[in-house]
Structures are given as C-alpha cells and as structure tokens.
Amino acid sequence: MSYLSLPRVLSKFGSQNHNPSNQKSKTNSLTRSSTRIGCDDIRLSRKASSTQSLKEPIERRMSILNRNGSISSRHFRGVHKHLLDSHAKAVCHSMTVTDLYEEILFEIFNNIGCENNEECTNGLIEFVQDAFKIPNATHVEICEAARLKEPPNVRLNVEIIKAENLMSKDSNGLSDPFVTLYLESNGSHRYNSSVKPATLNPIWEEHFSLPITDNARDEVLIVEVWDFDAAETVKEKVNKILDVKGVKGLSKLMKEIAVTASSGKHDNELIGRAAITLKSIPVSGLTVWYNLEKGSKGRSRGSLLVNLALSAEKNKSVAVQEHKNLLKLLLMYELETSQVANYWWSGKFSPNAELIRSQHAAQSGLSPFECALSQWHAYSTIHETHKLNFTLFNSILDVVVPVISYMQNDSEDVKTFWDGVRRLLPSCFAVLRKLRSKNTSDKNIVRALNEVLDILKKIKELEVPESVDIFPKSVYGWIHTNDTDETCNIDTAIVDAINTGTKEWLEHIVEGSRQSKNTETDDEKLQYIIKLIQMVRADLQRAMEYFDKIFYHKIQINYSAILYLFYDSKLAEICKSIIIEVCNNIKRLDVPDDQFLYLPNLENVNMGTTLFEVYLILKRYVQLGESLCSESLELSNFYPWFERGVTHWLDISIIKALSRIQKAIDLDQLKAVDETVKYSSSAVDTLSIFYQIKIFWQQLDWPEVEGSYIFVAKIVNDLCRCCVFYAQQMSRRVENIFLADDNNKNFTLSEEWCIAINNMDYIRQTLPSFIKELSIDDIIKKLGEYRTNLEAERCASTIKTVIENALDTERNQIVELIEIVARKMAPPIKRYLAEGAEVLAKDSNSMDQLMMYLEASLTTLYDTLNEINFQRILDGIWSELSIIMYDLIQSNLDKRRPPAFFQNLNNTLQTMMDCFKMGNIQTSDVKILSSIQSRLRLYSLETADLIHQYYLERLENQKSQESSPYGQLTVTAQLTDSGLLLTILNARNLLPMDSNGSVDSFVKASFMPTSRFNDLSTVKTNVHNKSCFPLYDQEFRINLSEQQRSEKNSLIVFSIKDKDLFGMSSQYIAESYISFGDLEATPPGEQIMMNLSRPEYTDSDSLRALEYRLGDKQAKDFLKKLKNRSFS
C-alpha cells in the first residue's frame, strides 16, 4: 500500500509523484516559494492603523504570516482575524506532501520534548523520508528550507492538581496552602494559585501557561507551596487559642502574637518547593508526584501532583489539516510495512511514528479533542479500504463526543465528525449482519461486537444534523423503508441489520437442510422441520448466551427477541403447510371395542412419533418465544394444525396400552414384587403404562379449552377401558390356573388367586387419583369460564359417570372372582360339616380336618390379601357358608335328625366363627349368622324346651298388645324365700261364652317349662258364674326350690275357661303369661294387669321346629292342642 491511495484531499499532488522529475520540479518551486516567504525582509506598513487591512495584496500578506498560519515574529502589529482565517484556508487547500514534509522536518529540528538528541533526530528524519517517499535530492532542499525557518514559540502548560501530607504551619495543626510557580530564568514573573484554607491535603486543579523565551531544554520550573498568613490583630490571634493543637501549636501561636504585637508583620511561610527541568518532559507530557523540599532538611514536607506539557503556537486550522494528512500518511506507511490484517490495527504506531505524531500535536498546540477529531477523520478514511480495530474508534469517541455534543451543527468540526461517522457505520453494521460467520468461541467476535455497540451507543446519543444523511440508499440497500418519509435512525438500522443477517442465515439453512420436495416422504418432511427448528433454536440459544447481555447492556435492545420475531413469521409459513399436509395423510386406526375381542397388530400401526416430536419442539419453541417477546406470535396458534394428529396419537396410545397390559399379564408370575406390597408385576407395569399416557397429556398441554376437554375425556375413557380390560384378563388368567388344578379333591386356595384380586383392586383404587392428576378439575373450571357453568357441570358429570362405571365394572369383576373362590371352597366345607355333625364320637377327626382346611385357606388369604379384599372374601365365603348351613339344616330336618345333630352343627358353626375372627377383621354378615344360629339352637332343643320357647314368644307378643278383645286379667305375685305368693284378683271384659251374654269363668295357673316344674301341680280358682267381670280374689302359696326361683325365663301361664253347665268339660276362653324376670322387676304388692289372648298358629320358628318332630308324641299333642285353641 502506498501513499498514492490517499483520498482526494491530497490528489493535487498524488499523480505527479509517479514521476521523480516532476516531483522534484514541483518541490523545488514550492521550496523556493516558502524560502522566499521566510527570508524576505518584512516591510513595515506606514499606515497609522494598528490592524493589517484585508485589502493588502497577497504578497504583502504572505510576508506577515508564516506558512503554518502563525504571525511572523518580525511583525509587531495586529492582524485582522479574517485575514488569519482566509490565509489558513488558502494554506489548507494548497497543502502538498512537500509542504507537510517540510513542516514535519521543521518540527523535528525544533523538538520541544525530552527526546531531543542528535541520534534521535537523525532516525526520525530517515523514517519520515521513507514514510513520505521523498527522493534524496528533494529531501536535501526541503531540509535546508526547514532549517532556515524561525523557531516556534514554545509554551509550558502546567496543571497544579493537588498536594498531600503537607507540613503544618499554623497553630491549629493545619495550613492554608497556595502554590507559586515561575521559570528559573524569569523569577520576577510568578504565577499564584488560590488559597485552600485549613487543610494539609488541598485540591486545586488549576491550569497555567508559561511562555518560554530561551532554550526550553535548559529551563527549570520552580514550584513552591506556601502557607498563607492573613493580616490579623493581636486580639484576633488570641481568639484562636481554642483552636490550638498540642504544645507545638501553642508555641507557634505565642510566637505569632509576639511578632504581631512587636512589628505587626504577617509574612507567608514556605512549606516546600520542587525544581523541575523542562528537558525531562516528554513531548506527550507527564503527570508526576514531586516531593517538596526546603534546604537540606530531610523532614518530609509533603508531595505535589503536577501535570506538565510543552506546546508551540500555530494556526489551529492549518495545524489540524496537517495533523489529518500526517496521520493518513503514517498509518498507510504503518499498514504497508507491517502487513497488518484487517480489524487488527488498534492505534499503536511504531515508536518513530508515534514520536512524530505527538511532536506535531505538541508543536501545533492541538488539544486532546483536536487530536482525536483528526484521528477520527484520518482513521475513518483509511478504514474504508483497510478495516481497523473498532477499539480505536471507540476510544476516539470517548474524547470527541462530549465536545461535539455542545457544538453547533454547522461548525466544521461537526461536519468532520459526521463525515467520519458515514465512513465508519457500514463496517459496524456489517459486524451485526455477519455475527454468525464466526464461532462464538472466538473472543474477537465478542470483543468486536462490544466495541461496535459502544460506538453505535455513543453516536446515537448525538443529534444528527438535518443536512447529514448517514444512511444513504446507495450504501444501505438492506434497510427496510416504508412509504413514509421517516428518517432512519441508529436504533432502526440496528434492528434492520440484525434482521437482514438473520434472513440471510435462514435462507442458507432452509436451502441446505431440505431435500427435493418431490421425493420427500411425510417423515422426511417432519424431520426437515425438526432440523430447521433445532438450528433456529441453537441460533437463539447462542444469542441468549453470548449476545443478549451485550446488546441490552450497551444499547438496551433485546437481541434474541428481535431474532425470534423475525423467525416467527417465517417458520409459521414453512411449518403450517407441511404439518397440515402430513396430518391429512394419516389413516384412521381400527381401535378395539369394549368387548376386546381382538387387538390390532402393533407392527401395522403408524406410531406418529415424528409428528409428536414436531409438536413438542414447536411447543417448547413457542414457550421460549413467550418468555422473550411481549408481542403476539404467529406460531402461538400452531396447535390447530395437529388436531387430527392428536386423535391419531390417542388411538395409538390405547392400542399400545392394551397390548402392553396383555403382555404384562402373560409374563406375570403372580408373586408380590417385594415384601412391602401385596401386588405383582403386572399391576406395576399397568400403572407405568398409565403414567406414560399422563406424561403424553402433560407434554401435549393443549391450550384450547374445548379441545382440551374432548381429548382428556377420551383419555379418561381409554384409561377406564384399560382398567376393565386388565380386570377381565387377570380374572381369566387365574381361572385358567384353577382349571389346570381342577383334578384335586379339595380346592386349594393358592397365593396366585389372592395376588390377582389384589392387583385388580390396586388398579381400581389408583384410577381416580391417577385421573385427577390429568388436571380435569382445572379444565372443567376453564370450560365454565369459557362457556357456562351448566355446560361445565354436565361435562364433569359425564366424566364422573365414565369413571364410576369403570370402577363398578372392576368391582364386579373382583366380586365375581371372590365368589368363584368362595364357591370353590364350599364343597369341602359342606362335607366336613356334615361329617362332623353325623359322628357323635369325641375321637372323630372331621372337625379337625375342617379347621385345618379353613385355617390353611384363611391364613393364605390373610397373609396375601389386603385388608379390604380379605374382608370381601370373608363375606363371600360366609355367604356360601350360609347357603351350606341352610341346605344342611333343611336336608337333615327332612331326615328327622335328633336334636343332638343340630347341637353338633351349632357347635361347629360357633367354632368356625371364632376361626374367622383374625386380627381386627371379622365377618360383616351378622344377620345371616344370627338367623342360622337361632335356627340351630331351636332345632337342638328338646321338645319341652321348644314348647317353652314358643310361650316366650307369646309373652313378647302379649307385651306388645295395647288392648285385647278377650279382656284383661289382674294378679299380684311375689317371689319369696320359700316360693311364690300368687293372688288372682279379677278379670275384666271377658269374652261372653254363654247364650245369655255372660260367662262362668275360672282361672287355671301352670308353670313352664314342664321339665323344670315336674313336681308342681296346676292351681286354679273357684268358678264365678254369669259375670264378665269376675272378682276371684284368691291367694295361692306355691313352694319353689331355689333353682326354680332363679330361672328368670320361667313362665306362669294363666288360662281362663268357661265352666260347662253339666261339668263335663270346660270351654277355653283365653290366656296370658308372665315371667319370673318380670315378677322380680315388679314392686311387691303392685297389681299386674295382663291382656288376654289366644295362641295363633303362625309362622313361628319354634312351631316349625316342632312340626318337623313328627315322631315325638309330646310335640304332636302340643301342636294338636294349639290348633284347637287357635281355631276355637
């Protein structure tokens, strides 16, 4: 790269430099001209005016002003500002390489920094000649001209920043410091800072500019720090006594008071000083701490922080233009010689180049802003052809922007700045567009992005002048423009740059990921969508991980949200057509009905896995978008595309579930999975299948409430069908086991039966809670909000009915299996019971065999079944046992078995009941047990006891009567130590038995049961004729043994009869009863009135038992007598 590639600013001389002779001729001419300007005698104007007229001829003006725009030292009158400006413009427009070269050589010869030495000077001259590509002959002429120019006017710029740890000079332990500075060669011309009262660590930050008339390298700057002592009276001094610090402070105050009182002096005291040689100051300046000294004392007096820099006087416009051109030449030479790659150079020149640059800036008196603006112009120009590091421009902006923001838009500096912006911005936006061109692991891309965003942030904070168009259409064709005349700004350009880069990348991956559309299968189309979304998501993940924080921190832009919004519409357009097409190609499956007669072959079922994978990927992608963007997204409505696919997935899930349940049952060994549970592997596998369906539903997460209800209702129905299917298949499995072992004489209850029952019940109990995990309640609630509460209640009722029907069906299946078990156990139980009741010998083992069989069966049931199922099977066995007992009772009654048989059977039943009470569990069929036991007790009684039982029933019936058509009988009765004192008092409303409407009655009293009172005779009263209200009033003393008195169920039967006229027979009227227990409960002497009644031949258990004793004379006579009384 050569200097010939400089912009047109140097084009006036660029083309001539190809020919050395032309170059030489041009240079000689310019040299002679400049030499003549510098050496001609200056003629003083004879005019009285103190200001040079603007109408002076050019020759005259050139004798007054130097080439660099400064006023000649030989001119002692003022020069009009317009003359200076016009001269500066002329110099800038006519500036050539040789002019600039001459100025640089002049500055080298007049170096004002500490780097000035002959060896350094020679090296710089050689470097400059090489950089400017000046031939030797031309170089000699220009050097001579540069040496003849008058030296520059040098100034020393000093900034007194602050001091620390100064020595105390006042009585209060502090000082009132101020700074005095002067050049050693001109001590009378001193500069003073402000006074900082009462401090040992003052801060000034004050600037001074000292002219240097003699050789700057030999000058010494003296900086002194003094303690200011104000003029005070003795009284004012004394008032400071309270502020005194320490004995030393008191001593100082006393001394000051004495001096003031005697002479009135108030001299300032020197704290310390520092001498600084100017030859130690580099051209770039320095900031250094200097220790303050005074004489030869070694005591510390504090330190002073000073900033020092040297500068020369020059016209700023000319100096700035020179600096711009110098920077271009130096940078182009640097890039050419170093072969620096694009985006690498970050502003660090070689030592010689940097020395020349800083020397020119110092001798030109350029401020940091002017230097930075010159760099901004030069570097942005070079950046168009050779990309520089963005860090360079970022650092320049830190200096330029604060100043530019306060300048008027029509100033030259503002125009220069925005020209640089126009040249720099295209490369900045190129970085945003090409972020994906490099791997994020490359730290340079992240660093470059940080710098670019910093640059854009700083630029967008400035107001763009109306006359400046920083986004010309010829350069920014990718910026999205509307029909409106709105001006593009930095923010919109950033978004367009991001979208443009995203569009280019998306087009690249879309074309590179898809095969030929004509040969693609449905699965390949879906795989294409998956791959596309994965790549887009990876890009978003990369954006969130590496770039989001940078964009937001720098310019408050959500980078990943911008990417997502661009991808959203594009992906929606691509995915929608493919997914709808694939769903339309799905063929409907043949799902088994509720009879489960067959199951489809899974190999022939299109599993739809890829389609579901696409659904999940889209769902997760949309969730990511909702977390990134607040705007509405097109892809948010993706789910209707999959409606047909969801139905297909649900059909697949029920077919797979049924097949897997069947396989789990076939492989089940019907053994508990571990010691803590009482169900086997098929139950666990079935719940795992249900869990997979639940996971599918949770992953589906259908957002639309009506569709969600339809799908979840189908899932609930399918789960219920699976439960019923499991119960049916498990029942068949254990029934097949029984058929294989059916040759055994006795049914042996195995563990497999119990495990099967537990499995079915476990699935049944788990179903409601499992279905609840499908969030049905939330769906119903949303449905009520979306529609009406009535519709929601109907939907909830429908699902509830489906669940209850399934639970009832499975419960019935369990009960049916339990009934099968009970029926299988019934034959051996019946046989053992019959044998045990038949054989009366004590050494019979039938009862032992029965108990062993029951114990073995119940132990298996208790150990294997859970509590609920154990209770169920006990009820089932007991139900079968009740049937057996009824059969045995009835069949043996027909065979006229003796009471002993039924007694044995009753004892056996009691033993079985005790056996069935295991733990806290016992049979719940109390009514059946009571009925059977009651019948067995009756049939085991002797005939007299049965008759007594009948009268006890009559007693209970009598107590329940409120009135009687046969009248009432009143008695008093009391049990005594020796027997019974009975008084028959009277009767009322007796039933007339004679034709005259009256009755001849008497009362007959007998005791029951007769077997208990064999030694007692019947007692009776006298006959009372023709009276329905007879007054008997007869007392009887009956001797009873203690045993007889203690039996509370003993009865007194009172029979009232009508005496026949001829005394041949007495006619039965009615009877009443009272027990010994009732007598004990009645207070002594209290009258007992009893309703009279006639015995009825009704459906009584006692009478039925007596009827079966056809061969028993006592029973036969009693029944005959009872019939006569009932029908009399």
Side-chain angles (χ1 to χ4, degrees):
M1 181 182 298
S2 71
Y3 68 95
L4 298 179
S5 61
L6 276 171
R8 294 298 298 170
V9 71
L10 299 179
S11 62
K12 292 182 179 180
F13 56 87
S15 61
Q16 297 176 3
N17 286 343
H18 287 286
N19 189 334
S21 62
N22 291 340
Q23 183 183 15
K24 181 177 180 181
S25 174
K26 180 68 177 177
T27 305
N28 291 338
S29 174
L30 290 171
T31 304
R32 286 194 297 271
S33 174
S34 61
T35 303
R36 186 167 55 253
I37 293 171
C39 299
D40 285 348
D41 293 333
I42 307 299
R43 297 178 181 179
L44 300 178
S45 174
R46 295 181 180 179
K47 295 182 180 181
S49 173
S50 61
T51 303
Q52 186 67 37
S53 173
L54 293 174
K55 296 181 180 180
E56 291 287 341
I58 296 176
E59 294 81 2
R60 179 68 176 166
R61 193 187 314 163
M62 295 298 292
S63 66
I64 297 172
L65 301 174
N66 293 326
R67 173 69 187 174
N68 59 14
S70 62
I71 302 174
S72 173
S73 61
R74 299 181 183 182
H75 186 75
F76 298 100
R77 291 194 178 186
V79 180
H80 200 284
K81 182 178 185 297
H82 293 278
L83 179 61
L84 294 176
D85 292 341
S86 62
H87 178 71
K89 289 181 180 178
V91 172
C92 291
H93 286 297
S94 63
M95 187 180 297
T96 63
V97 171
T98 53
D99 293 335
L100 181 60
Y101 186 65
E102 180 182 341
E103 183 66 23
I104 298 304
L105 290 177
F106 171 76
E107 292 173 354
I108 293 174
F109 294 146
N110 296 277
N111 193 329
I112 60 174
C114 64
E115 298 89 348
N116 186 13
N117 58 72
E118 186 174 353
E119 183 179 350
C120 177
T121 301
N122 294 334
L124 289 177
I125 293 173
E126 292 178 4
F127 175 80
V128 170
Q129 182 183 359
D130 191 19
F132 278 68
K133 301 187 185 304
I134 302 297
N136 289 330
T138 305
H139 168 71
V140 171
E141 293 181 11
I142 298 176
C143 276
E144 185 64 25
R147 290 181 188 275
L148 294 176
K149 293 173 70 173
E150 62 182 35
N153 297 325
V154 181
R155 301 189 72 87
L156 174 61
N157 300 309
V158 182
E159 180 186 7
I160 305 300
I161 302 175
K162 63 180 179 179
E164 289 184 355
N165 303 319
L166 296 179
M167 178 180 287
S168 170
K169 288 295 183 178
D170 293 338
S171 59
N172 58 3
L174 300 172
S175 295
D176 303 320
F178 69 94
V179 177
T180 297
L181 61 157
Y182 57 91
L183 293 174
E184 192 175 47
S185 62
N186 189 11
S188 61
H189 196 173
R190 299 188 176 216
Y191 301 82
N192 293 327
S193 72
S194 60
V195 177
K196 301 297 179 182
T199 178
L200 298 180
N201 298 288
I203 298 176
W204 285 284
E205 295 181 347
E206 297 180 13
H207 296 259
F208 303 89
S209 181
L210 286 67
I212 302 175
T213 56
D214 297 329
N215 189 353
R217 297 182 59 80
D218 297 333
E219 279 286 6
V220 177
L221 174 68
I222 305 299
V223 182
E224 298 175 342
V225 180
W226 292 78
D227 173 50
F228 178 74
D229 190 5
E232 293 176 326
T233 64
V234 174
K235 182 178 180 181
E236 290 174 335
K237 294 282 187 183
V238 173
N239 289 337
K240 291 183 177 181
I241 190 70
L242 297 177
D243 298 327
V244 170
K245 184 177 180 181
V247 177
K248 188 175 181 180
L250 181 61
S251 175
K252 285 184 179 181
L253 181 61
M254 293 297 104
K255 183 178 179 182
E256 290 176 4
I257 294 172
V259 171
T260 302
S262 61
S263 63
K265 294 182 178 180
H266 49 84
D267 295 335
N268 299 327
E269 291 186 74
L270 178 66
I271 297 176
R273 71 176 64 191
I276 306 169
T277 58
L278 269 58
K279 66 180 180 181
S280 64
I281 303 174
V283 67
S284 59
L286 79 165
T287 302
V288 182
W289 283 96
Y290 290 97
N291 291 326
L292 300 177
E293 300 175 352
K294 183 179 179 182
S296 59
K297 296 181 180 180
R299 184 180 175 186
S300 175
R301 293 178 172 272
S303 54
L304 182 68
L305 180 62
V306 182
N307 176 267
L308 303 168
L310 295 168
S311 65
E313 296 177 349
K314 184 184 291 189
N315 182 277
K316 286 297 176 69
S317 298
V318 176
V320 169
Q321 186 62 40
E322 287 176 349
H323 203 66
K324 291 177 182 177
N325 294 336
L326 175 63
L327 289 172
K328 293 176 186 176
L329 282 168
L330 291 177
L331 178 55
M332 294 172 66
Y333 178 74
E334 191 86 9
L335 297 177
E336 179 182 355
T337 56
S338 302
Q339 298 296 317
V340 179
N342 281 333
Y343 298 106
W344 191 260
W345 196 78
S346 58
K348 186 176 182 180
F349 284 107
S350 62
N352 285 333
E354 178 60 27
L355 188 56
I356 291 172
R357 185 205 66 78
S358 59
Q359 187 67 228
H360 182 271
Q363 292 202 32
S364 300
L366 298 180
S367 65
F369 166 74
E370 290 166 336
C371 290
L373 188 62
S374 299
Q375 293 171 351
W376 178 257
H377 171 80
Y379 297 160
S380 62
T381 303
I382 300 298
H383 186 74
E384 288 184 301
T385 55
H386 187 103
K387 305 304 179 187
L388 307 181
N389 195 301
F390 291 106
T391 307
L392 171 64
F393 297 100
N394 208 359
S395 60
I396 295 174
L397 283 173
D398 289 335
V399 180
V400 172
V401 168
V403 181
I404 286 290
S405 61
Y406 291 101
M407 289 184 172
Q408 294 183 355
N409 289 340
D410 58 351
S411 67
E412 289 298 325
D413 288 343
V414 171
K415 294 178 181 178
T416 301
F417 172 76
W418 286 109
D419 285 342
V421 169
R422 289 185 60 178
R423 288 189 288 268
L424 178 63
L425 283 184
S427 62
C428 293
F429 290 116
V431 171
L432 300 184
R433 293 174 58 185
K434 306 297 181 183
L435 276 179
R436 300 171 183 83
S437 62
K438 292 186 178 181
N439 197 319
T440 49
S441 59
D442 184 0
K443 295 182 179 179
N444 291 329
I445 186 64
V446 178
R447 188 181 301 113
L449 178 62
N450 269 292
E451 299 296 337
V452 165
L453 293 180
D454 275 335
I455 291 171
L456 295 176
K457 177 184 178 182
K458 293 168 184 174
I459 293 176
K460 80 172 187 174
E461 290 175 353
L462 301 174
E463 181 182 355
V464 182
E466 294 182 0
S467 60
V468 176
D469 181 11
I470 60 175
F471 297 109
K473 293 184 179 179
S474 59
V475 179
Y476 297 91
W478 46 266
I479 290 183
H480 177 71
T481 56
N482 298 323
D483 295 335
T484 60
D485 295 333
E486 266 188 51
T487 305
C488 181
N489 56 40
I490 295 291
D491 287 330
T492 58
I494 291 173
V495 174
D496 285 342
I498 294 172
N499 287 337
T500 302
T502 307
K503 179 182 178 182
E504 294 170 355
W505 184 78
L506 183 61
E507 290 173 351
H508 170 71
I509 64 173
V510 166
E511 293 301 323
S513 303
R514 192 164 191 180
Q515 302 175 3
S516 175
K517 296 182 180 180
N518 297 327
T519 59
E520 276 184 325
T521 63
D522 287 348
D523 192 76
E524 288 173 341
K525 294 176 182 177
L526 297 175
Q527 290 293 345
Y528 161 70
I529 292 179
I530 293 172
K531 184 177 180 182
L532 185 62
I533 295 177
Q534 286 176 341
M535 295 177 72
V536 169
R537 190 180 179 93
D539 185 53
L540 289 169
Q541 192 66 36
R542 178 175 179 263
M544 291 186 291
E545 184 174 352
Y546 294 99
F547 303 138
D548 259 6
K549 291 181 180 179
I550 301 174
F551 273 90
Y552 192 80
H553 177 69
K554 300 293 183 182
I555 54 177
Q556 287 73 51
I557 284 181
N558 192 337
Y559 176 68
S560 56
I562 295 174
L563 295 187
Y564 192 95
L565 289 173
F566 180 85
Y567 285 133
D568 181 57
S569 58
K570 302 298 182 182
L571 290 180
E573 181 182 348
I574 295 171
C575 297
K576 182 177 181 180
S577 58
I578 295 176
I579 292 171
I580 292 177
E581 178 185 357
V582 171
C583 289
N584 289 335
N585 293 337
I586 294 175
K587 296 181 180 179
R588 189 171 181 82
L589 298 177
D590 184 13
V591 181
D593 56 16
D594 292 340
Q595 302 300 321
F596 307 109
L597 299 178
Y598 72 97
L599 295 178
N601 187 358
L602 282 177
E603 296 178 356
N604 299 327
V605 175
N606 179 15
M607 303 309 287
T609 305
T610 308
L611 183 61
F612 187 61
E613 186 178 353
V614 171
Y615 179 89
L616 294 181
I617 287 178
L618 274 176
K619 175 171 160 289
R620 288 193 290 266
Y621 182 76
V622 170
Q623 290 173 345
L624 174 63
E626 290 172 349
S627 65
L628 291 175
C629 309
S630 57
E631 298 87 345
S632 59
L633 306 174
E634 290 187 34
L635 275 176
S636 296
N637 297 319
F638 76 94
Y639 59 91
W641 310 341
F642 291 88
E643 283 184 350
R644 187 162 182 173
V646 174
T647 304
H648 181 68
W649 297 331
L650 294 179
D651 290 341
I652 290 174
S653 66
I654 180 64
I655 294 174
K656 290 172 62 177
L658 294 174
S659 300
R660 291 175 179 175
I661 288 172
Q662 182 63 63
K663 185 175 181 180
I665 292 175
D666 293 340
L667 297 177
D668 195 355
Q669 300 296 320
L670 294 179
K671 302 291 184 182
V673 291
D674 57 48
E675 297 178 355
T676 61
V677 297
K678 295 184 178 181
Y679 46 82
S680 62
S681 61
S682 63
V684 178
D685 293 341
T686 300
L687 287 186
S688 298
I689 295 168
F690 291 173
Y691 180 77
Q692 292 173 0
I693 296 176
K694 184 188 77 172
I695 294 299
F696 161 76
W697 173 244
Q698 291 175 343
Q699 290 178 337
L700 187 65
D701 192 21
W702 195 261
E704 193 265 323
V705 63
E706 288 186 324
S708 182
Y709 169 75
I710 293 172
F711 293 141
V712 79
K714 187 177 188 312
I715 291 175
V716 170
N717 184 58
D718 290 344
L719 289 175
C720 293
R721 294 178 65 196
C722 289
C723 287
V724 173
F725 177 75
Y726 179 86
Q728 292 176 355
Q729 298 304 312
M730 181 56 68
S731 179
R732 292 174 186 173
R733 171 74 189 279
V734 291
E735 287 178 8
N736 292 334
I737 294 175
F738 170 75
L739 292 176
D741 300 335
D742 200 22
N743 295 328
N744 295 337
K745 183 177 180 181
N746 290 338
F747 171 73
T748 302
L749 184 63
S750 63
E751 184 180 346
E752 286 84 354
W753 283 87
C754 303
I755 292 294
I757 294 172
N758 283 345
N759 287 345
M760 295 161 63
D761 191 58
Y762 178 63
I763 297 297
R764 177 183 172 276
Q765 291 180 8
T766 310
L767 179 63
S769 60
F770 191 87
I771 291 177
K772 190 173 183 180
E773 294 178 7
L774 298 176
S775 302
I776 293 181
D777 294 340
D778 294 338
I779 295 173
I780 296 297
K781 182 179 179 181
K782 292 179 181 178
L783 189 62
E785 295 172 354
Y786 180 72
R787 288 290 190 180
T788 63
N789 290 331
L790 181 60
E791 291 187 30
E793 290 174 1
R794 289 174 181 172
C795 293
S797 177
T798 300
I799 292 181
K800 182 179 180 182
T801 301
V802 172
I803 297 173
E804 289 177 351
N805 289 340
L807 295 178
D808 290 342
T809 302
E810 194 162 8
R811 184 190 300 108
N812 294 338
Q813 198 70 41
I814 295 172
V815 171
E816 183 179 340
L817 194 60
I818 287 174
E819 290 176 351
I820 292 174
V821 173
R823 286 197 299 270
K824 301 300 181 184
M825 293 178 64
I829 293 176
K830 184 176 182 180
R831 185 174 67 254
Y832 289 135
L833 283 173
E835 291 177 357
E838 283 283 359
V839 182
L840 300 180
K842 292 183 180 181
D843 57 352
S844 172
N845 64 352
S846 296
M847 193 61 193
D848 294 338
Q849 291 179 0
L850 173 62
M851 298 312 299
M852 290 173 61
Y853 177 74
L854 287 177
E855 183 178 1
S857 299
L858 292 179
T859 300
T860 301
L861 292 172
Y862 185 77
D863 292 341
T864 310
L865 291 177
N866 58 38
E867 185 174 340
I868 295 175
N869 290 324
F870 182 68
Q871 181 64 55
R872 285 175 178 169
I873 203 162
L874 282 186
D875 292 342
I877 294 173
W878 206 230
S879 179
E880 286 294 325
L881 186 60
S882 64
I883 297 173
I884 294 172
M885 296 300 294
Y886 276 121
D887 290 343
L888 284 174
I889 292 171
Q890 191 61 43
S891 61
N892 285 283
L893 284 174
D894 295 338
K895 296 178 182 179
R896 299 182 183 181
R897 296 291 188 181
F901 175 86
F902 297 103
Q903 182 64 43
N904 290 339
L905 199 57
N906 188 31
N907 294 337
T908 304
L909 177 62
Q910 186 61 45
T911 304
M912 289 178 64
M913 288 174 59
D914 296 338
C915 180
F916 273 53
K917 295 178 182 179
M918 304 184 69
N920 296 325
I921 301 174
Q922 56 183 346
T923 179
S924 61
D925 206 344
V926 178
K927 292 183 178 180
I928 297 177
L929 287 174
S930 300
S931 177
I932 293 174
Q933 284 188 310
S934 178
R935 293 189 65 183
L936 286 176
R937 281 196 298 269
L938 286 175
Y939 296 143
S940 62
L941 293 176
E942 296 296 333
T943 301
D945 293 329
L946 269 176
I947 295 171
H948 177 239
Q949 184 65 32
Y950 170 76
Y951 280 113
L952 288 176
E953 293 173 4
R954 293 298 305 153
L955 174 62
E956 295 300 322
N957 183 59
Q958 173 186 296
K959 291 179 179 180
S960 64
Q961 290 180 347
E962 295 181 0
S963 61
S964 172
Y966 304 105
Q968 293 84 29
L969 177 66
T970 303
V971 300
T972 61
Q974 181 180 357
L975 290 172
T976 63
D977 294 339
S978 59
L980 173 67
L981 177 61
L982 175 64
T983 303
I984 300 175
L985 297 175
N986 56 62
R988 300 178 184 179
N989 297 322
L990 293 180
L991 183 66
M993 300 298 291
D994 297 338
S995 58
N996 57 6
S998 62
V999 61
D1000 303 326
S1001 64
F1002 66 93
V1003 179
K1004 184 178 180 181
S1006 59
F1007 296 88
M1008 300 290 292
T1010 56
S1011 59
R1012 192 178 299 166
F1013 300 97
N1014 287 330
D1015 55 340
L1016 292 181
S1017 59
T1018 302
V1019 297
K1020 64 180 180 178
T1021 65
N1022 298 325
V1023 177
H1024 287 258
N1025 296 321
K1026 296 181 175 56
S1027 176
C1028 292
F1029 294 87
L1031 181 61
Y1032 302 111
D1033 198 16
Q1034 248 180 292
E1035 181 179 291
F1036 302 94
R1037 292 185 179 274
I1038 305 167
N1039 294 324
L1040 298 175
S1041 65
E1042 183 179 357
Q1043 179 65 29
Q1044 290 172 331
R1045 293 195 307 272
S1046 63
E1047 298 292 341
K1048 295 183 180 181
N1049 63 347
S1050 299
L1051 293 177
I1052 305 175
V1053 180
F1054 298 95
S1055 299
I1056 300 180
K1057 296 184 178 182
D1058 178 39
K1059 181 68 174 178
D1060 186 61
L1061 180 61
F1062 300 103
M1064 297 297 296
S1065 64
S1066 298
Q1067 188 176 1
Y1068 176 77
I1069 298 176
E1071 62 186 30
S1072 61
Y1073 323 94
I1074 190 172
S1075 67
F1076 283 14
D1078 293 336
L1079 294 180
E1080 290 182 356
T1082 303
E1086 182 178 332
Q1087 294 183 359
I1088 302 171
M1089 186 173 66
M1090 298 171 287
N1091 289 323
L1092 297 173
S1093 63
R1094 289 182 179 180
E1096 299 177 359
Y1097 198 86
T1098 58
D1099 187 15
S1100 169
D1101 291 336
S1102 301
L1103 292 179
R1104 192 179 302 111
L1106 289 170
E1107 288 174 351
Y1108 281 111
R1109 300 186 180 185
L1110 299 178
D1112 188 328
K1113 184 177 183 302
Q1114 184 180 6
K1116 191 175 181 179
D1117 292 343
F1118 174 76
L1119 291 175
K1120 181 179 179 181
K1121 179 180 177 182
L1122 186 62
K1123 288 179 181 180
N1124 291 334
R1125 290 184 176 182
S1126 297
F1127 298 109
S1128 60

